[in-house]
């Protein structure tokens, strides 16, 4: 057993420590790390503690009538990353949420909360186990091991609050079957996705991608990938449509086929990221995922902001943005008090008149007692169902995690099927993904609208995030965050961090 409850998080096998990085020291007036502002991943790891979202976890040392550089509304992951980055930059940040918990739309729910959300006041059946053993993500996503979110975690040192475990498998649905995604020339030769001659052609293409170095023209083989389209590049290797399908959607993680007519450089970079992430931890996939679920991420970044002087207030009703005579945001009013500010950052729900609807996400959530069939008994897995395989306009995603990531009681699995909704019949639309799951103990359906900002931030000082999409990886999410950071500060974050130091940690007993 572990030497202390606080080291319980270290007992999960095959988890990874991501390296810490030096960032500016907190200001002298900032709260010390020992101050219990927010529950951290380590505290959540104590099995004697309930993983309920924090209640009344406020830091209200400053009055509402102070003036702030930035007020952030909503504690979703995007907003929490931004408040952390801005606080480290030395800006005075006030972070408010109408909810009494962290995470917003990207929170994780225990079983009682899940039941209340989807089944009203019903109590979950006893055979599903203890409510507090569940952490069910409302926006399920894995992280690419070498991806932008991991680089951001290292850049900000939020890694000290989290532990991760590799994801077992990465699969693609093709011709009615589930196949492991081949990511290298050797895997291409073994893959049942392709016939003998196609394997050789695919191997040659993978070798080109693996050797490609943007800075070394010798590796380009006379091809200019900034002008050559993806379709033209692939045509040079004579690959058939099904191979093009899994390369574009399961390796490069494009959501539709627009990339085929765009410069090939982006697709090649995406494929290299996938391959390098796969090699990072020698696992069965390029993905990692936090122990105790994604609810740990917003809290980790919120903790970062608080350490650097950020102020947090939960359960603040209304949170009405105030504007001056020029139409610029100048403060936020809640419960009759107004906090002044220079800029407002928020999710779409706080400024509904400055966003437009761009679609809907349909999602099924399943509680199961077994791994997804045909995935090599993987306890955590992503399956991508490319649009062409289903006759859709966009891809469908299956995400599965389990008790091995501490998100369910022993023996239980949580699976999600997600897609951009193309009809109002959610059950029928998600059926191809649900059919892959096998028997389920419980099944819930969810649908939410997606919004994007239509305002001009330079005119109104409002910086609004885009709603979470159906993808089960974080690349699009963090791209939105980094673009917002640049708009807010005029700076670009240098994410050229040392990834090589990330390595598997030994089990601790």
């Amino acid at each position: 057993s572990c030497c202390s409850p606080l080291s319980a998080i270290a007992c999960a096998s095959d988890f990874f420590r991501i390296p810490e990085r030096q960032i500016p020291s907190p200001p002298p007036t900032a709260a010390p790390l020992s101050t219990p502002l927010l529950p951290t991943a380590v505290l959540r790891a104590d099995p004697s503690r309930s993983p309920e979202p924090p209640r009344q976890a406020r830091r209200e040392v400053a009055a509402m009538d102070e003036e702030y550089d930035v007020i952030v509304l909503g504690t979703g992951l995007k907003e929490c990353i931004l408040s952390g980055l801005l606080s480290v930059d030395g800006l005075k940040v006030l972070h408010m949420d109408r909810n009494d918990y962290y995470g917003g739309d990207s929170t994780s729910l225990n079983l009682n909360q899940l039941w209340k959300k989807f089944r009203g006041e019903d109590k979950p059946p006893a055979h599903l186990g203890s409510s507090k053993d569940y952490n069910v993500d409302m926006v399920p996503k894995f992280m690419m091991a070498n991806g932008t979110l991991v680089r951001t975690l290292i850049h900000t040192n939020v890694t000290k609050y989290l532990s991760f475990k590799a994801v077992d498998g990465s699969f693609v649905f093709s011709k009615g079957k589930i196949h492991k995604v081949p990511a290298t020339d050797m895997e291409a030769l073994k893959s049942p996705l392709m016939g003998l001659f196609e394997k050789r052609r695919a191997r040659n293409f993978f070798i080109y991608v693996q050797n490609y170095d943007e800075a070394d023209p010798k590796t380009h083989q006379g091809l200019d990938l900034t002008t050559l389209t993806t379709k033209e590049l692939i045509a040079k290797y004579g690959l058939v449509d099904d191979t093009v399908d899994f390369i574009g959607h399961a390796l490069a993680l494009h959501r539709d086929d627009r990339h085929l007519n765009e410069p090939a450089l982006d697709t090649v970079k995406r494929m290299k990221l996938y391959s390098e992430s796969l090699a990072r931890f020698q696992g069965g996939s390029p993905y990692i995922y936090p122990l105790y679920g994604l609810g740990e991420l917003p809290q980790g970044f919120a903790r970062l902001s608080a350490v650097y002087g950020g102020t947090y207030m939960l359960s603040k009703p209304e949170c009405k943005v105030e504007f001056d005579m020029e139409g610029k945001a100048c403060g936020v009013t809640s419960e009759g008090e107004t906090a002044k500010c220079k800029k407002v950052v928020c999710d779409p729900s706080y400024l509904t008149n400055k966003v437009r609807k761009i679609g809907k996400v349909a999602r099924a959530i399943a509680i199961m007692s077994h791994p997804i069939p045909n995935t090599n008994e993987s306890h955590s897995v992503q399956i991508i169902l490319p649009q062409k395989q289903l006759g859709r306009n966009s891809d469908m995603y299956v995400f599965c995690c389990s008790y091995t990531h501490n998100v369910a009681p022993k023996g239980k699995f949580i699976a999600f099927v997600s897609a951009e909704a193309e009809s109002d019949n959610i059950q029928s639309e998600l059926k191809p993904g649900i059919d892959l799951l096998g028997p389920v103990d419980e099944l819930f359906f969810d649908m939410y609208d997606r919004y994007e900002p239509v305002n001009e931030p330079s005119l109104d000082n409002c910086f609004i995030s885009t709603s979470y999409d159906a993808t089960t990886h974080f690349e699009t999410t963090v791209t939105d965050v980094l673009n917002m950071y640049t708009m807010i500060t005029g700076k670009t974050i240098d994410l050229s961090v040392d990834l090589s130091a990330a390595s598997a940690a030994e089990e601790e007993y």
Side-chain angles (χ1 to χ4, degrees), residues 190-202:
K190 299 174 185 175
S191 175
L193 271 169
M194 299 169 283
L196 178 62
F197 295 109
E198 182 70 0
K199 285 180 180 178
R200 290 176 179 170
R201 290 189 289 265

Side-chain angles (χ1 to χ4, degrees), residues 143 162-165 288-294 296-297 405 407:
M143 300 176 211
L162 302 161
S163 287
F164 299 84
K165 191 173 186 297
I288 60 174
Y289 180 72
L291 296 180
Y292 299 93
L294 296 179
E296 299 301 319
L297 282 172
H405 273 100
V407 297

Side-chain angles (χ1 to χ4, degrees), residues 400-448:
C400 181
C401 52
S402 70
Y403 61 95
T404 59
H405 273 100
N406 299 347
V407 297
K410 188 167 180 61
K412 293 297 181 185
F413 295 72
I414 311 292
F416 304 81
V417 181
S418 306
E420 294 288 334
E422 296 177 6
S423 73
D424 291 326
N425 189 337
I426 183 173
Q427 298 186 33
S428 169
E429 187 160 0
L430 296 178
K431 187 176 186 301
I434 294 171
D435 286 348
L436 301 179
L437 303 181
V440 301
D441 299 337
E442 297 289 343
L443 190 62
F444 308 88
F445 289 96
D446 189 21
M447 186 179 287
Y448 64 85

Side-chain angles (χ1 to χ4, degrees), residues 150-393:
V150 168
R151 291 174 180 274
T152 305
L153 287 165
I154 295 170
H155 175 81
T156 56
N157 263 357
V158 170
T159 50
K160 70 176 66 174
Y161 308 129
L162 302 161
S163 287
F164 299 84
K165 191 173 186 297
V167 173
D168 294 339
S170 176
F171 294 82
V172 62
F173 182 79
S174 180
K175 296 180 180 176
K177 292 184 178 180
I178 297 173
H179 300 272
K180 185 182 185 303
V181 178
T184 66
D185 60 313
M186 296 309 296
E187 287 192 344
L189 285 177
K190 299 174 185 175
S191 175
L193 271 169
M194 299 169 283
L196 178 62
F197 295 109
E198 182 70 0
K199 285 180 180 178
R200 290 176 179 170
R201 290 189 289 265
R203 178 176 182 267
N204 290 335
F205 178 60
F206 281 141
I207 289 173
Y208 173 77
V209 171
Q210 285 165 213
N211 292 336
Y212 184 87
D213 180 349
E214 196 174 357
D216 183 2
K218 293 177 183 176
T219 66
H220 300 181
Q221 295 183 11
L223 304 177
D224 182 358
L225 300 192
T226 62
T227 57
L228 195 72
T229 67
T230 304
K231 182 186 291 184
E232 290 167 339
L233 174 63
I234 290 175
K236 291 183 179 296
Y237 291 88
L239 301 178
V240 301
D241 284 350
D242 283 338
T243 306
V244 174
D245 222 21
F246 84 72
I247 286 174
H249 294 260
L251 276 177
L253 301 180
H254 290 293
R255 288 180 286 169
D256 51 42
D257 281 342
R258 283 179 292 183
H259 66 283
L260 292 174
N261 298 311
E262 294 171 350
L265 182 60
D266 179 50
T267 294
V268 167
K269 283 182 174 179
R270 286 165 171 256
M271 290 178 67
K272 288 178 73 68
L273 172 62
Y274 187 103
S275 178
E276 291 160 3
S277 295
L278 183 66
R280 173 61 61 211
F281 297 129
Q282 305 295 316
S285 85
Y287 304 110
I288 60 174
Y289 180 72
L291 296 180
Y292 299 93
L294 296 179
E296 299 301 319
L297 282 172
Q299 292 190 53
F301 281 101
R303 175 75 173 171
L304 175 75
S305 175
V307 166
Y308 280 80
T311 301
Y312 274 76
M313 297 183 182
L314 299 183
S315 300
K316 299 298 285 186
E318 296 181 18
C319 292
K320 179 177 179 289
V321 180
E322 304 290 350
F323 294 89
D324 62 19
M325 298 292 288
E326 297 178 354
K328 294 180 182 289
C330 59
V332 174
T333 298
S334 177
E335 298 178 304
E337 294 182 293
T338 300
K340 296 177 182 177
C341 65
K342 301 182 181 86
K343 296 175 180 177
V344 168
V345 174
C346 65
D347 68 48
S349 70
Y350 286 89
L351 283 171
T352 55
N353 63 328
K354 291 181 179 287
V355 297
R356 68 177 176 190
K357 183 177 172 181
I358 53 173
K360 294 188 289 188
V361 171
R363 181 170 291 130
I365 305 168
I367 299 175
M368 312 188 304
S369 299
H370 59 83
I372 295 176
N374 306 308
T375 61
N376 302 330
E377 298 295 310
S378 297
H379 283 215
S380 51
V381 64
Q382 176 180 258
I383 308 169
I384 293 179
L385 291 74
Q387 59 180 87
K388 279 184 181 174
Q389 301 293 325
L390 306 178
R392 288 173 47 84
N393 297 320

